[in-house]
Amino acid sequence: MTALILDGKHVAKLTETSLAERVMVLRERSGGRTPVLATILVGEDPASATYVKMKGNACRRVGMESLAIELPATIKTNDLLRQIEELNNNPDVHGILLQHPVPAHIDERAAFDMISLDKDVDGVTCLGFGRMSMGESAYGCATPQGIMRLLAHYEIDLTGKHAVVVGRSPILGKPMAMMMLQANATVTICHSRTQDLKSHIAHADVIVGAVGRPEFIKAEWIKDGAVVVDAGYHPGGIGDIELGPLHERAQAITPVPGGVGPMTINTLIQQTVESGEKALGQTL
Ligand code: NAP
């Protein structure tokens, strides 16, 4: 069996074409206005700065604007909350992205939860998570939502499948598990205290690696014919799963790079366009 490659780069590009058209229509109908994504970068972590820059570039590719806010690493939680509140109240801003992680002294959860639900296009608030888990409308957390979109594009149906998610972080593993549950998978969530991880993974029809350790999940732990989703990204272009040998045995694989990564940014942009359409649609 040769694994189907779940090509996130390709799917993101396809979506950008249709998003650019939607932004153009919106611009024509609203007197030149476009959706605006506000990006907040706290501190000078080079990787975070690169991600924020990539998100701004993706905005421009579909013809919409981004508002880059750069704050010093020394900022206090309260001042960050005030900044977010201003953006919540700014009618020209349709989506707010707070780049994770913020410096350790900041209460990141409080900052995420300050983002109003209608502008939570990165899907990071507790309210959004709760609504999504209950099957109510909310913007999905960008990385897991991007994974769901990628699986849907390749018509991979999760109904009745056993999905094993390794990782339970608020921005990845937890929302991933809830989304797969919503899609009628039977879900196992594994984490650093899980006993006998291998035996859980051995039963996975769908495995999601969201651990943050290079090639931590070994190919030999994964059964033939599984769908393999690798959310990890490490220097040298490797993920959290040892993908090499799985090209011959898996049903489908997300490549690293070019699988999950492009879908994350694409989902953020798509959800900002949706938010812009809702807000600007009301003013037409
Ligand atoms: P994280 O916050 O560090 O969470 C890692 C998770 O892995 C935790 O839940 C942790 O368990 C679990 N874990 C750690 N060691 C383990 C072990 N030995 N056995 C089983 N589970 C273990 O990381 P994250 O933000 O979720 O990111 C995970 C990966 O996804 C990273 O490689 C990151 O680079 C990547 N990522 C990619 C994108 C993208 O757009 N492509 C976006 C975000 C993240 P505990 O909860 O018990 O500590």
Side-chain angles (χ1 to χ4, degrees):
M1 176 187 290
T2 304
L4 171 69
I5 300 298
L6 307 177
D7 187 345
K9 209 169 160 189
H10 168 70
V11 176
K13 207 164 176 192
L14 278 183
T15 314
E16 279 191 0
T17 307
S18 77
L19 290 177
E21 282 166 19
R22 284 164 63 178
V23 171
M24 201 168 67
V25 169
L26 204 55
R27 190 195 285 271
E28 281 166 6
R29 292 192 185 163
S30 65
R33 296 180 68 195
T34 70
V36 174
L37 174 69
T39 61
I40 308 175
L41 174 65
V42 184
E44 283 157 13
D45 174 59
S48 294
T50 301
Y51 287 134
V52 168
K53 203 167 152 198
M54 286 165 75
K55 289 165 186 175
N57 290 343
C59 287
R60 278 184 286 284
R61 282 201 299 275
V62 302
M64 60 182 231
E65 289 165 40
S66 65
L67 173 67
I69 295 169
E70 292 176 8
L71 300 171
T74 51
I75 194 169
K76 294 196 168 66
T77 298
N78 275 346
D79 293 327
L80 176 59
L81 297 185
R82 259 191 293 279
Q83 180 77 58
I84 294 170
E85 197 174 17
E86 262 177 43
L87 295 170
N88 284 340
N89 295 331
N90 182 343
D92 293 331
V93 168
H94 307 105
I96 301 171
L97 165 96
L98 172 63
Q99 184 62 42
H100 163 85
V102 293
H105 69 276
I106 292 175
D107 183 344
E108 185 177 76
R109 177 43 49 206
F112 278 155
D113 284 334
M114 192 71 197
I115 300 171
S116 66
L117 186 68
D118 57 328
K119 299 190 183 185
D120 180 22
V121 291
D122 202 26
V124 293
T125 61
C126 283
L127 184 55
F129 173 82
R131 289 183 59 84
M132 175 275 288
S133 301
M134 290 297 175
E136 299 293 328
S137 80
Y139 296 118
C141 192
T143 301
Q145 185 69 41
I147 290 169
M148 294 302 284
R149 290 179 51 222
L150 190 58
L151 294 174
H153 178 88
Y154 286 97
E155 297 180 347
I156 292 177
D157 183 7
L158 297 178
T159 305
K161 299 278 164 56
H162 184 188
V164 175
V165 180
V166 188
R168 58 172 168 178
S169 74
I171 60 152
L172 220 174
K174 253 179 215 162
M176 181 82 270
M178 295 314 293
M179 285 175 193
M180 290 187 154
L181 182 63
Q182 284 294 121
N184 298 316
T186 301
V187 182
T188 299
I189 309 174
C190 300
H191 47 81
S192 66
R193 314 287 174 88
T194 296
Q195 289 181 10
D196 200 3
L197 181 65
K198 279 189 216 174
S199 72
H200 291 287
I201 291 176
H203 292 112
D205 301 314
V206 180
I207 169 85
V208 180
V211 196
R213 292 177 171 210
E215 295 197 340
F216 172 76
I217 297 170
K218 301 299 171 207
E220 64 181 37
W221 302 352
I222 297 173
K223 72 179 182 190
D224 290 357
V227 172
V228 180
V229 176
D230 192 341
Y233 180 73
H234 305 278
I238 53 171
D240 288 351
I241 302 179
E242 185 195 11
L243 292 176
L246 293 166
H247 282 90
E248 303 303 319
R249 299 202 283 112
Q251 180 195 332
I253 283 181
T254 61
V256 180
V260 173
M263 293 305 294
T264 298
I265 296 186
N266 188 253
T267 299
L268 172 74
I269 303 302
Q270 185 183 55
Q271 295 189 149
T272 307
V273 171
E274 275 172 38
S275 176
E277 285 172 339
K278 278 185 205 153
L280 295 173
Q282 284 165 11
T283 62
L284 295 185

